[in-house]
Amino acid sequence: MTADARRTDPALGATAPVSGGPPGGSRRWMWLAAWPVVAALALSNEPAPLYVLWQGRFGFSAATITLIYAAYIGGLLVTLTFAGTLADRYGRKPVLLPGLALSLTAAVLFATAESVAVLGVARLLSGFAVGAVLAAGMAAVADLAPPGHKQFGGLVASASMVGGAALGPMLAGVLSETLPHPTRLVFVVQAGLLLVALAVVLRMPLSRPGEQPGGAVAAGTGGPSTADPEPRRLWRLVRIPSVPRAHRRTLLLSLAVLAPGMTATGFVLSLGPALLADLLDSDNRALAGGMIFLLFAAATGVQFAVRTLRVRVLFTLGAVLTTAGMAALVLATAVTSVPLLLAAAVLAGLGQGSAQLGGLSTLSARIPATRLAEANAALTGGGYLMAGVLPVAAGYLSDAVGLTAGTTAFGIAVAVLVSAGAVAATRR
């Protein structure tokens, strides 16, 4: 199947190009290809329940927690400026393998951290790793989907992202409460998961760009060294990821709903455990990890539940659920209600999952395979950009006026942004 092949996509309500992939795609390899994404995203959120322990040991503030989280976002955004382009030009494996190696390095640093600086470096490296794995890994899942199942491949790719994000904090919370060395052994287990992911990537039946399966160069391409007439200069590979001009409005409208949704979940990741500890006067890591698990489990489950809905409906649903989550968050802090805080986390997850499915399904169906990794990087990077800025602002505001007031201001800001984004997306 070529990138020019077309089919009618019921979720989009229009005839859309189908991204190409290797002819050897299968459901088995599509699911296996999701594991590296799951493993890398698990590491990205594993530190969240442990911040309370590190905060007590190193003595840092709520603003510092959000800055450490911002280091992760910064590393991710830097990597996304070139990872998608590299993955489209040289193949998925040359990007996935270094990304997983960086994840292993970050896990070692987390396990041995004895200062805030080491935590910051570990978060930065995990951001680099996740940027590479998201750009190349989610594209690999779509590549390995069977012919005619590209939209389902987009669903699996999206679910692997939020599924891994759910697995990490639950693993960290439970293991840190039940095993000795609460900030160490969880990362030893995580290193094992990443080694399995490395083995999967090495065996993936992916062809390099311009090659047929088995390594033969496709007719007329000249192979990867001459497929692009532009000079192969490094600076040409480092650019803000984008999509073909005809699809830029689609990308921007997707981000208008997805970015506020990701910002809501970013707040729960960075300050949620601190807010939970403030409400309960407890540092139970299993409960904090469970809250984050519920958030991303909801984001994963909703994508399978609503996968047959049209994209406009998905965006509207995402905005409504995110707004409801922010209302529950503000109310939870006002009346100091743990059940309302958990409800806010679940609603935020449902909102992000719905909007994310809409965005990734659109890209998987419309963008040619030669630009799909870069398109995924553009969508993910745009969402994380807002998710890095607003929680940091909320952290500093919380240090100045209190966690309750800072949370309230954050919730109102996100609700306004996602509502405006939904109006723009559904009108067009």
Side-chain angles (χ1 to χ4, degrees), residues 74-92:
L76 187 151
L77 292 176
V78 167
T79 307
L80 288 177
T81 62
F82 58 86
T85 308
L86 288 174
D88 284 335
R89 180 168 293 179
Y90 298 109
R92 315 311 189 198

Side-chain angles (χ1 to χ4, degrees), residues 389-406:
V389 173
L390 283 187
V392 170
Y396 276 101
L397 184 63
S398 297
D399 281 345
V401 300
L403 194 55
T404 298

Side-chain angles (χ1 to χ4, degrees), residues 293-317:
F293 172 82
L294 285 175
L295 185 158
F296 286 107
T300 304
V302 73
Q303 295 185 55
F304 287 92
V306 301
R307 65 184 184 275
T308 59
L309 297 180
R310 295 171 65 88
V311 167
R312 287 188 179 185
V313 178
L314 290 173
F315 287 153
T316 301
L317 182 63

